[in-house]
């Protein structure tokens, strides 16, 4: 009987130890300290990066026109919502859709200026040393 109670206490202690961060809500504050990003900022970045990836995949012919359009519409809505939330979190008011379009245009221009691979024609990101598609070394001079 004594052994049983002892084992129960140990089990209880382990459970409490595991739950400790959850109970104290530590995960939220840790994240903020490490990256100094608010939730809305993080959401905005994720959405914009996803948009960039869609543009990238489309230019690399990994996406067909239809997928590109539906993905872009979806991600644009998400990015806009995130931008809006971010603006509100900072206390600013209103967000122009032009801001997002400008951001997308900037990303797309960057990709277009990228290093086109001599071997396979893949359009790599600006400053790429090697082709993302075939691994060949690419030189910036090859494009310009
Ligand atoms: Zn290549």
């Amino acid at each position: 009987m004594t052994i049983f109670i002892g084992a129960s206490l140990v089990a209880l202690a382990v459970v409490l130890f595991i739950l400790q961060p959850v109970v104290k809500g530590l995960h939220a504050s840790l994240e903020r300290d490490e990256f100094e990003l608010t939730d809305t900022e993080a959401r905005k970045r994720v959405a914009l990066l996803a948009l960039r990836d869609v543009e990238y995949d489309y230019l690399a012919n990994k996406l067909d026109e239809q997928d590109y359009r539906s993905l872009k519409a979806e991600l644009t809505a998400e990015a806009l919502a995130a931008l809006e939330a971010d603006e509100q979190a900072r206390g600013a008011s209103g967000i122009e859709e032009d801001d997002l379009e400008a951001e997308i245009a900037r990303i797309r221009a960057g990709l277009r200026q990228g290093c086109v691979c001599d071997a396979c024609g893949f359009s790599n990101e600006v400053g790429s040393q090697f082709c993302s598609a075939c691994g060949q070394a690419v030189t910036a001079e090859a494009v310009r």
Side-chain angles (χ1 to χ4, degrees), residues 56-136:
Y56 193 49
D57 285 350
Y58 178 63
L59 287 173
N61 295 321
K62 287 182 190 170
L63 277 177
D64 66 32
E65 183 89 25
Q66 203 184 351
D67 287 345
Y68 167 71
R69 284 182 192 283
S70 68
L71 269 172
K72 195 185 161 182
E74 198 177 300
L75 288 168
T76 302
E78 166 61 18
L80 260 183
L83 278 168
E84 222 164 291
D86 190 40
E87 292 289 319
Q88 274 172 11
R90 290 165 196 263
S93 61
I95 171 84
E96 300 287 323
E97 191 159 343
D98 293 348
D99 288 355
L100 186 65
E101 285 302 319
E103 180 72 19
I104 293 168
R106 198 185 58 74
I107 290 166
R108 189 183 300 189
L111 289 172
R112 289 246 164 86
Q113 281 166 29
C115 317
V116 176
C117 176
D118 288 335
C120 72
F122 185 88
S123 147
N124 292 283
E125 269 180 286
V126 182
S128 298
Q129 303 282 311
F130 297 96
C131 175
S132 301
C134 72
Q136 277 276 313

Side-chain angles (χ1 to χ4, degrees), residues 31-51:
E31 201 171 301
R32 193 148 302 170
D33 287 346
E34 276 175 29
F35 304 108
E36 290 182 8
L37 266 184
T38 64
D39 287 350
T40 50
E41 266 176 348
R43 227 180 114 202
K44 186 179 75 174
R45 283 187 190 206
V46 167
L48 286 174
L49 279 175
L51 261 178

